[in-house]
Amino acid sequence: MHWIALAVAIAIVVVLVFVDAVTHSPGGEQPHTTVTGAAAPPPSSVVDGGPVVSSGATAGYRLSPRVAALTFDDGPSPYTAQILDVLERQHVPATFFVIGANIAGHGDELRRMVADGDEVGVHTFTHIDLSGVSAWREEIELDTTQLAIASDTGYLTDLLRLPFSSLTSDMTAGQWQAVQRASGYRTVFADLDTKDWERPGVGRIVAAGTPSRRRGVVIMLHDGGGDRSQTVAALSRLIDRLRARGYRFETVSHAIGVPSPWSRATTGDRWRGTVVLATTVLSRWLVTALAVLFWIAGALAVLRTIVLLIFARRHARQPTVASGTDLPAVSIIVPAYNEGVGIAACVRSLVASDYADFEVIVVDDGSTDDTAAVVRALGESGVRVIVQANAGKPAALMTGIAAARNDVFVLVDGDTVFEPRSLRALVAPMLDPRVGAVSGNTKVGNRRRLLGRWQHVEYVIGFNLDRRMFDVLECMPTVPGAIGAFRRETMADIGGVTDHTLAEDTDLTMAVCRAGWRVVYAPAAKAWTEAPSSIGALWRQRYRWCYGTLQAMWKHRHAIIEHGSSGRLGRRGLPYLMTFQVLLPLLAPVVDAATIAALFTGHGTQLVIAWLIFLGAQIVSAVYAFRLDGERLRVLWVLPLQQIVYRQLMYLVVVQSVASAIYGVRLRWHKLDRTGQLDDAPTFAA
């Protein structure tokens, strides 16, 4: 159901983005230069006739002498109420040609027009030039505007004014075609165009609206589309001047002696109009919210990159803990379930460690392959094999801990390969008695294919830069299962490794922090591990990680209100994880879909720029992270594609994990199928 909900949400967002693009398109602000089909020019009887043209008519209506019809285009807007105030004080009716997309939020103005005896006409829904659109688009533009008017007034109208039209003498072939298609409408042109939209000054507006003779006139003004303060200021002066010349004012319909343009809207019309207006408002709100969210997410991502680089540099400048010969004896515990393919390389690398005193304990957790036999066949001294019935990784770790002879444990996954100096680098921080656990540096060993390279880049940038920051801030949330060191005393304080979550390493580490111990990061302690080599395997692994992390965060949520080491985890580590590993990935699919939709509507320039800035920040952090880890930079060519493809998969994993948590699904521990391919690991592991 959550996938259906996500698909529906994305579909709704995309539709609303397109609705907003259409209703607020800059393209509607400029006239087209082309027409649809082979349009014939208007006949001379129309061109030379009156300003009001009925569909199918061969000539227009003229107004009687000394009759003026004031008309206003492009509203409603914040200036409409001011214009209505002037008209009410002067006791003058007028005709307003409204844009459907502008009606939302201005219902009071439309109802006031009806109450004051004004008339309302259609000016299309998006202010698009009807001479350059198809018949079906024109029909949609007119019908949706009618419905929007009906929603707020309860009436339909038969008046129409074409956007970008003025005098009948200026009518183009395309506009004449649009007039003919507008069946049932009276299309209103003008006798005098004040061009007040150019804001020429109050005096010029009054002069342009004053007829040279005493002929009847339709005067074109604007109550929307921009700053109309000059129009408001000029209106009273224009009315006074025309009255002084003997003019009386009428609405367009009354001025030409035809019935009222109003017809009663049906209940269905009003409901559909409500939906139209609600969709318009919702689309505008959604696009605005998404834009804000996009920029917030982008700002957080850039801020995160900056913070990571600052703390990574600070961590790199910290003095290295001396790793002399006085390091404590270590018990290396390797839980293994069906690890026959890679267990030999793992054990050989551990035995080859440059360390004085250690033992290796391999706990075969009920494997159905030859894991135990492979280890025994190696014949390595100091390596013990314990076989138990399958009980899960936490139980296997606790079995190894119970059998360990030493007070420092190094926990290692069965597919992991150590470098010779890794064990020394990992245990050295334990010389500080405040340190209860140490995180090593996990490296992807199978990075020759694209999926492996993506994970390699992710490990270096995300995992290791994050750990450097967590170390400096003393809020490390995870010591990876592949390579981590713990004290026996620490394990006793927290009650050992539990199976309460699917991310036992994260649960264990958070418990260590809450017990008051420091958890640090040792970047020189490198362990090479086999990353998932297929999309399915990657999905299962990350699903388990994410779901387990959610479980651990919930389990340790009270750290937020605690003090000391626990409080640092709760008020630093947990909010960071919640923001960047849960909330932003949850929102990302919808934001990405809206961004792509915006690109197709021609409104995505700023989004592309923002994305390029984000990518640039990622590249900068990647270069620095790779330098810190001594990695080759040439693999970073996969980074742009990783942002487009790989991250989307990770977002969907988070969606699946959160949905499972909400449903209360209890997952099994998913084990990856191993291939033993560690092509980039140290050669002694072959």
Side-chain angles (χ1 to χ4, degrees):
M1 289 301 298
H2 58 278
W3 294 125
I4 295 175
L6 178 62
V8 170
I10 289 176
I12 292 174
V13 166
V14 169
V15 168
L16 291 177
V17 167
F18 276 101
V19 168
D20 184 76
V22 170
T23 56
H24 297 87
S25 173
E29 302 300 325
Q30 298 295 331
H32 290 282
T33 58
T34 60
V35 298
T36 58
S44 58
S45 60
V46 171
V47 173
D48 299 331
V52 184
V53 182
S54 297
S55 60
T58 57
Y61 295 91
R62 286 194 180 278
L63 276 66
S64 301
R66 295 187 182 182
V67 174
L70 298 178
T71 63
F72 297 88
D73 292 0
D74 297 351
S77 79
Y79 292 96
T80 302
Q82 299 178 42
I83 289 174
L84 288 171
D85 289 341
V86 174
L87 295 173
E88 187 174 355
R89 286 196 303 269
Q90 294 278 9
H91 303 288
V92 171
T95 303
F96 292 84
F97 293 94
V98 298
I99 296 174
N102 292 348
I103 292 176
H106 292 283
D108 289 342
E109 286 90 332
L110 261 72
R111 287 186 287 271
R112 183 177 174 185
M113 293 172 191
V114 175
D116 289 350
D118 300 317
E119 293 179 348
V120 177
V122 172
H123 200 45
T124 74
F125 197 82
T126 65
H127 199 264
I128 193 168
D129 187 354
L130 295 180
S131 68
V133 302
S134 61
W136 67 265
R137 175 64 186 273
E138 178 175 344
E139 183 178 359
I140 290 176
E141 290 282 336
L142 303 185
D143 289 351
T144 51
T145 307
Q146 286 276 21
L147 293 174
I149 294 171
S151 174
D152 282 331
T153 67
Y155 293 98
L156 302 174
T157 179
D158 67 3
L159 294 179
L160 167 66
R161 173 166 283 165
L162 307 181
F164 311 107
S165 68
S166 180
L167 312 182
T168 54
S169 59
D170 297 329
M171 189 189 310
T172 66
Q175 289 174 336
W176 174 240
Q177 182 185 55
V179 170
Q180 291 177 304
R181 289 189 307 217
S183 178
Y185 283 92
R186 293 188 180 94
T187 305
V188 182
F189 290 85
D191 293 299
L192 296 176
D193 183 356
T194 64
K195 295 188 177 180
D196 58 329
W197 55 272
E198 293 181 344
R199 303 184 72 246
V202 173
R204 290 190 177 184
I205 294 173
V206 173
T210 304
S212 58
R213 298 185 301 275
R214 295 179 178 180
R215 60 193 177 96
V217 288
V218 174
I219 303 171
M220 180 183 289
L221 297 151
H222 294 78
D223 66 320
D227 182 354
R228 297 294 170 253
S229 56
Q230 290 185 4
T231 303
V232 175
L235 185 55
S236 285
R237 288 177 54 181
L238 177 60
I239 293 172
D240 290 341
R241 175 178 288 192
L242 292 181
R243 274 183 171 155
R245 296 190 178 190
Y247 275 85
R248 61 185 174 86
F249 296 92
E250 299 284 359
T251 61
V252 168
S253 297
H254 290 171
I256 62 175
V258 298
S260 168
W262 297 117
S263 60
R264 181 72 65 175
T266 66
T267 302
D269 290 334
R270 300 193 67 173
W271 274 107
R272 288 195 296 274
T274 301
V275 171
V276 168
L277 292 181
T279 303
T280 303
V281 172
L282 182 60
S283 66
R284 181 84 300 232
W285 176 87
L286 178 69
V287 168
T288 302
L290 286 174
V292 171
L293 180 62
F294 182 89
W295 286 107
I296 290 176
L300 285 175
V302 172
L303 179 63
R304 177 195 186 193
T305 299
I306 294 172
V307 170
L308 286 175
L309 293 178
I310 292 174
F311 282 110
R313 182 174 178 81
R314 180 176 171 182
H315 186 273
R317 289 185 169 185
Q318 289 180 346
T320 305
V321 179
S323 55
T325 57
D326 56 345
L327 293 176
V330 171
S331 294
I332 305 174
I333 301 168
V334 186
Y337 175 72
N338 290 347
E339 299 285 1
V341 173
I343 193 67
C346 173
V347 172
R348 279 200 297 263
S349 72
L350 296 174
V351 171
S353 296
D354 179 16
Y355 201 86
D357 188 1
F358 67 93
E359 65 172 345
V360 178
I361 303 172
V362 178
V363 181
D364 186 331
D365 185 42
S367 298
T368 58
D369 65 358
D370 58 350
T371 297
V374 169
V375 177
R376 292 191 182 103
L378 294 175
E380 296 284 359
S381 60
V383 177
R384 284 188 286 161
V385 178
I386 300 175
V387 178
Q388 67 176 27
N390 182 258
K393 184 178 179 180
L397 288 170
M398 291 306 296
T399 297
I401 289 171
R405 301 189 182 102
N406 304 309
D407 291 331
V408 173
F409 313 131
V410 172
L411 310 184
V412 181
D413 284 343
D415 66 325
T416 303
V417 169
F418 271 37
E419 293 186 3
R421 298 180 180 179
S422 294
L423 189 57
R424 183 180 294 274
L426 183 68
V427 178
M430 289 289 188
L431 294 175
D432 183 345
R434 298 173 301 168
V435 175
V438 183
S439 167
N441 185 351
T442 309
K443 314 290 287 183
V444 175
N446 53 327
R447 58 179 76 164
R448 296 190 179 182
R449 297 174 62 185
L450 183 60
L451 189 60
R453 288 175 178 173
W454 279 340
Q455 293 175 84
H456 167 48
V457 172
E458 180 187 31
Y459 274 47
V460 175
I461 298 176
F463 293 179
N464 292 322
L465 280 184
D466 280 351
R467 287 198 181 98
R468 291 177 187 272
M469 179 190 70
F470 289 140
D471 189 348
V472 174
L473 295 178
E474 300 183 20
C475 59
M476 186 79 67
T478 305
V479 171
I483 176 171
F486 298 84
R487 296 182 187 274
R488 184 184 292 276
E489 182 183 356
T490 303
M491 286 290 188
D493 281 350
I494 64 175
V497 187
T498 71
D499 61 356
H500 297 165
T501 74
L502 287 179
E504 81 292 329
D505 48 4
T506 299
D507 181 21
L508 176 63
T509 309
M510 290 183 178
V512 170
C513 288
R514 294 187 68 192
W517 295 91
R518 276 208 64 191
V519 182
V520 301
Y521 173 54
K526 298 179 180 179
W528 298 76
T529 187
E530 180 184 346
S533 56
S534 68
I535 296 295
L538 177 65
W539 179 277
R540 290 190 296 273
Q541 182 197 64
R542 297 310 171 87
Y543 183 26
R544 178 179 64 83
W545 285 4
C546 184
Y547 189 87
T549 299
L550 290 173
Q551 290 177 310
M553 291 170 64
W554 180 254
K555 177 180 177 180
H556 298 284
R557 63 191 182 279
H558 296 298
I560 295 176
I561 60 174
E562 294 173 347
H563 302 288
S565 177
S566 181
R568 286 189 287 273
L569 170 69
R571 290 184 290 276
R572 298 175 185 177
L574 294 186
Y576 181 89
L577 293 178
M578 178 60 68
T579 300
F580 292 104
Q581 293 192 19
V582 180
L583 295 181
L584 291 183
L586 271 181
L587 297 172
V590 174
V591 175
D592 288 348
T595 302
I596 294 172
L599 294 177
F600 280 100
T601 62
H603 293 181
T605 303
Q606 291 185 347
L607 298 179
V608 172
I609 293 173
W611 186 82
L612 291 175
I613 293 174
F614 172 73
L615 179 60
Q618 289 287 299
I619 292 174
V620 170
S621 63
V623 169
Y624 186 62
F626 271 60
R627 289 289 188 189
L628 286 177
D629 260 17
E631 294 284 353
R632 296 178 180 178
L633 298 179
R634 63 187 183 186
V635 74
L636 291 180
W637 69 266
V638 305
L639 189 58
L641 189 59
Q642 182 194 48
Q643 302 299 312
I644 297 173
V645 180
Y646 181 80
R647 284 193 178 275
Q648 314 310 312
L649 179 65
M650 297 300 100
Y651 296 153
L652 296 181
V653 167
V654 175
V655 172
Q656 173 81 0
S657 302
V658 172
S660 297
I662 294 173
Y663 296 153
V665 175
R666 185 169 180 82
L667 302 182
R668 296 183 300 107
W669 204 96
H670 298 290
K671 182 189 181 300
L672 297 179
D673 295 327
R674 305 298 185 187
T675 64
Q677 294 180 350
L678 294 174
D679 301 321
D680 294 286
T683 55
F684 60 81

